Amino acid sequence: MMARAVLSQADIQRALTRISHEILESNRGSRDLVLLGIPTRGVFLARRIAETIARIEPDAPEPAVLAGAVDVTMYRDDLGRTRTRTPSPTQLPPGGIDGKTVVLVDDVLYSGRTIRAAFDALADLGRARAVRLAVLVDRGHREFPIRADFVGKNLPSSTRERINVRLIETDGDDAVTIEGGDE
């Protein structure tokens, strides 16, 4: 099955830079901002956004203070029906999430079930002032009324297609491809 390239490394970098600027504009700076990536690739995307924010915002906290991870595995509503991955540790930045604007970061927004699980996980971690969502790719087909606030690329797709996000940190290169759908 042939995969078609949708985003190159440069496209991904531009999208993350734009998302970083949009987050700063929406939040009026980096004050009381926390980026929480959803494992696996969302964690790396959150770190990259935190690094970009630290470069462009003079008084931004260090990336390690700005970004963390929230594992949603045990909050999923399909645990009994599908193969799940091994849970990853949740890592909150110093100061937690209470009273902060939390931006959840994920690679692909599809049904919305992962984000719904992230909301449940956040409720157990504290009381955020606001929760926003940043995704590299929004492919549609929502099963929950969830919308991303910051989107790298809207990529309408068939449910038979597969979106593959590759990142240097996990896969050795940066690319987004789409495959299938022509069966």
Side-chain angles (χ1 to χ4, degrees):
M1 190 173 303
M2 192 67 179
R4 177 173 51 93
V6 180
L7 294 175
S8 67
Q9 181 175 11
D11 295 329
I12 291 170
Q13 182 56 47
R14 276 192 297 277
L16 294 178
T17 299
R18 180 174 36 78
I19 287 170
S20 301
H21 282 280
E22 290 173 356
I23 289 170
L24 286 170
E25 287 176 25
S26 171
N27 196 59
R28 294 187 175 93
S30 60
R31 186 162 189 245
D32 293 329
L33 182 65
V34 171
L35 306 170
L36 292 180
I38 297 172
T40 298
R41 288 167 183 81
V43 174
F44 297 113
L45 294 172
R47 287 181 190 155
R48 290 188 193 187
I49 292 169
E51 289 165 1
T52 302
I53 286 174
R55 278 195 309 271
I56 59 180
E57 184 76 4
D59 59 350
E62 293 293 316
V65 173
L66 196 56
V70 60
D71 185 74
V72 301
T73 304
M74 300 313 293
Y75 293 89
R76 294 193 57 93
D77 62 1
D78 57 359
L79 279 176
R81 292 193 307 274
T82 61
R83 179 182 67 83
T84 58
R85 58 178 182 68
T86 303
S88 302
T90 290
Q91 298 169 320
L92 295 182
I97 66 168
D98 290 336
K100 308 274 177 78
T101 296
V102 174
V103 179
L104 293 171
V105 182
D106 205 4
D107 56 352
V108 178
L109 177 56
Y110 184 33
S111 67
R113 290 184 178 275
T114 300
I115 304 308
R116 191 226 32 96
F119 290 151
D120 289 347
L122 283 179
D124 282 351
L125 297 172
R127 185 165 170 28
R129 182 171 46 84
V131 179
R132 305 284 182 254
L133 175 60
V135 297
L136 182 59
V137 175
D138 183 345
R139 67 173 293 186
H141 304 289
R142 227 59 93 239
E143 296 172 7
F144 284 89
I146 291 172
R147 173 188 63 81
D149 300 281
F150 314 104
V151 178
K153 176 142 182 96
N154 284 296
L155 187 60
S157 60
S158 158
T159 55
R160 293 186 308 270
E161 292 174 310
R162 178 165 174 81
I163 308 294
N164 300 303
V165 174
R166 298 179 53 84
L167 297 178
I168 287 172
E169 296 89 341
T170 55
D171 309 298
D173 66 336
D174 280 349
V176 176
T177 59
I178 186 167
E179 61 181 293
D182 48 359
E183 298 158 19

